[in-house]
Amino acid sequence: MRLSELLSALPCVRVSGGTFCDVEITSVVSDSRSAGPGTLFVALRGREADGHAFVPEAAARGCAAVALETAPDTFLPIPVCLVPDTREAEALLQSRFFGDPASSMRIFAVTGTNGKTTTTAVLWSILRAAGRKTATVGTLGLGGDSYGELPAGGSSVSGKAAAMTTPDPAILYRLLASFRDDGVSDVVLEASSHALSQRKLAAVRPDFALFTNLSPEHLDFHGTMDAYLAAKAILFEKARRAVVSTASPYAETLLSRIACPAVTCGFSPAADYAASDLAERPDGSRFRLTSPRGTFEIGTCLPGRFMAENVLLAAAAALEAGVSPADTVRGIAACRAVPGRMETVTDGVARSYTVMIDYAHTPEALRALLSSVRRFTRGRLLVLFGCGGDRDKTKRSVMGAVAGELADYTVLTLDNCRTESPEAILSDILSGFPPDAPHEVISDRARAIRRAVSLCEDGDVLVLAGKGHEKYEIDKTGKHEFDERAVALAAMRSRDGRR
């Protein structure tokens, strides 16, 4: 693709530096190590590194052009494209390079602190029941009839391999192009606050933008709740329609900032899509939905009120998109358990206690999880959790307070301590934990799980919180394989006297 055609995607660009020539561009990169003949290097400003410092390296590797926010100190014999925001430019350039794929499909984008993955999975199931060829992009990777796992993305700035909720533009727009080429009609994607603030979705205009909820999280990145909400609100700037759950007190503030047509959903008669008569069970829940499309019963295998809120949001979005009530009900019923979200650990053997795994890693998520599980627990409610290292420290004491308040017994352990001291993390959690609440501290997570399983009695429910779908543990020595399900199941079988 010619450089001039690529640059036409940018609302504001000025070409300077070397003599401009309409060179052929074979790829757009933001890692100087990937620069070479035919590449357009985009210099991104990161928290740990500034891509502008690597412009000489990219030029030395023979890149065809560079995109910068500030002019280089030295003359470059290649086109220098000056833009106000290289992060936004990267998304727009990648999208144009791959033929603006998002414009060819109907896009549902889901944002919020908690519930994005479950809402995405339920909405995918509904659209599939309606006969739509649908793909998903999110925390669990790719979902769809013909797609496998999301390729390792990592940050194009840091180079660290990581499974991102919303991939970097180089991956995201290539994926969207592959969906388009495969005849996908609908895409449901998770939009993280990091991705929104970094303008990864600048080239996507969602047909439907969905909001789950908002609670303190990622404040080490955003700084304040106002800034966090502002990042979420970016999704709705270009959205054609909005569907907002009223489960969060921030919903009203968000609605006041939304310019596009919006509908609400919630367990309130004032909502446009109003749920009522919630019946919760360990194996799922039911509720009545009153909507502009009629009143009908919803049944799901996903247990818990907060899961019902996610199901309701997906149902409202589907109905707003023209899916029939019958297909909506059928799609929800067909949606199986989402990995790591209120997932029961089982091998088919009936036991007198229950072990569940959930991704809850924020105070509000943990509160919602424990409150929901409490409603169908016959015996004691036990919880095992830790907090991530090198991340928002303010939530640790709050999570300790929540566990001490709502659980009958707590086992405190580790959860991706990364480079931080395990003792410091546990100390932070304990600083908010009620001193008289029953608990014990076992830093080794595998040993902690075995201990927690051994404590279970008839009717008890043990919740392993924090890791959810993850099958790894990260400490100062690196990333290690760790399958929490396998550890828990082995402990349960050992307790049965079986292997």
Side-chain angles (χ1 to χ4, degrees), residues 14-26:
R14 180 168 58 89
V15 182
S16 64
T19 303
F20 177 74
C21 55
D22 200 10
V23 294
E24 183 72 18
I25 300 298
T26 56

Side-chain angles (χ1 to χ4, degrees), residues 425-487:
I425 296 172
L426 291 168
S427 177
D428 286 344
I429 298 173
L430 285 168
S431 68
F433 197 90
D436 56 344
H439 71 282
E440 58 188 283
V441 179
I442 303 175
S443 59
D444 181 272
R445 193 170 182 106
R447 189 163 65 87
I449 292 172
R450 291 191 289 269
R451 169 61 175 166
V453 169
S454 74
L455 293 172
C456 290
E457 301 172 355
D458 291 354
D460 288 354
V461 177
L462 166 63
V463 178
L464 310 179
K467 297 211 62 71
H469 61 282
E470 295 179 351
K471 292 188 177 181
Y472 57 83
E473 184 73 22
I474 305 174
D475 60 23
K476 63 182 179 181
T477 65
K479 187 175 182 178
H480 312 281
E481 182 177 338
F482 182 81
D483 189 338
E484 190 162 69
R485 293 168 194 76
V487 174

Side-chain angles (χ1 to χ4, degrees), residues 296-308:
F296 38 92
E297 298 291 323
I298 300 288
T300 174
C301 72
L302 306 177
R305 181 186 175 94
F306 69 98
M307 285 292 193

Side-chain angles (χ1 to χ4, degrees), residues 101-113:
S103 64
S104 303
M105 299 170 288
R106 188 166 61 173
I107 306 292
F108 297 80
V110 187
T111 197
T113 304

Side-chain angles (χ1 to χ4, degrees), residues 28-30 90-91 94-95 98 101 137 141-142 149-156 160-179 200-201:
V28 179
V29 302
S30 54
E90 182 193 23
Q94 293 287 2
S95 177
F98 289 106
V137 179
L142 304 187
E149 292 298 314
L150 183 69
S155 169
S156 57
K160 296 176 181 176
M164 291 188 181
T165 298
T166 310
D168 278 343
I171 295 175
L172 176 62
Y173 294 98
R174 184 175 74 245
L175 288 174
L176 292 177
S178 71
F179 295 160
K200 292 182 184 181
L201 296 174

Side-chain angles (χ1 to χ4, degrees), residues 196-219:
L196 290 167
S197 64
Q198 294 170 351
R199 311 302 289 183
K200 292 182 184 181
L201 296 174
V204 175
R205 184 181 183 188
D207 294 276
F208 294 89
L210 286 63
F211 175 75
T212 61
N213 50 60
L214 196 78
S215 61
E217 172 73 326
H218 306 309
L219 297 186

Side-chain angles (χ1 to χ4, degrees), residues 359-373:
Y359 192 48
H361 59 280
T362 68
E364 285 303 313
L366 187 62
R367 178 175 292 279
L369 170 66
L370 297 180
S371 297
S372 290
V373 174

